[in-house]
Amino acid sequence: MSARPASEWAVRERVAQPEDLDPRLLRPTGRTDRLQVVVEHYVVGAGRCPRCGWPVARREECPSRQVAVCLLDNRPLPDRLAHLVDVVPGARAGRDSAADRHRERAELDALPGLFAAPARSPERGDTS
């Protein structure tokens, strides 16, 4: 006897799509709009989001609220929402690697300015 349920009974987890997000998150917004999204999409316990109707499990939030909180805190989107990075302005996914940070700093340092930028000190723990 198989320990796994039959495939026809398996319910796939719903994946958030851009049309599931609050439309305010799909355009550049300020803190006020993002805070409004956080408040309007607040769910007490389990059930459905009062604003978008997204089914919410106990320790999970609706995608709009999660994206808004990440934007406010300047954090990367969680893995289950990382596919939305390209449609949400200001969103980022995963952690930046040291190579990415070095590349971004080099690009910023190469920009013309009013005066020469001081030399950067290496990051702590950087062995290069």
Side-chain angles (χ1 to χ4, degrees):
M1 186 172 229
S2 174
R4 294 186 321 188
S7 61
E8 62 268 11
W9 291 101
V11 178
R12 293 195 308 187
E13 186 177 330
R14 185 173 164 195
V15 177
Q17 299 301 319
E19 56 271 7
D20 295 325
L21 294 178
D22 193 297
R24 292 173 287 191
L25 296 173
L26 300 178
R27 64 181 197 278
T29 57
R31 278 187 77 73
T32 304
D33 286 336
R34 293 174 185 169
L35 283 169
Q36 226 171 352
V37 170
V38 169
V39 170
E40 290 174 0
H41 289 267
Y42 180 70
V43 180
V44 179
R48 292 198 170 270
C49 175
R51 178 77 181 204
C52 64
W54 184 270
V56 177
R58 215 183 213 151
R59 301 186 78 189
E60 200 172 281
E61 297 176 321
C62 102
S64 293
R65 181 176 165 87
Q66 280 190 313
V67 169
V69 168
C70 288
L71 289 172
L72 284 168
D73 293 345
N74 197 22
R75 288 185 305 183
L77 294 179
D79 290 339
R80 69 183 197 96
L81 299 174
H83 62 282
L84 299 171
V85 166
D86 297 330
V87 295
V88 177
R92 56 191 180 88
R95 292 185 169 255
D96 296 337
S97 68
D100 292 336
R101 288 193 304 273
H102 285 300
R103 183 181 43 77
E104 289 173 10
R105 286 188 180 136
E107 289 171 4
L108 287 174
D109 288 344
L111 293 174
L114 295 175
F115 51 88
R120 289 187 183 268
S121 60
E123 289 185 28
R124 279 187 278 178
D126 190 10
T127 57
S128 56

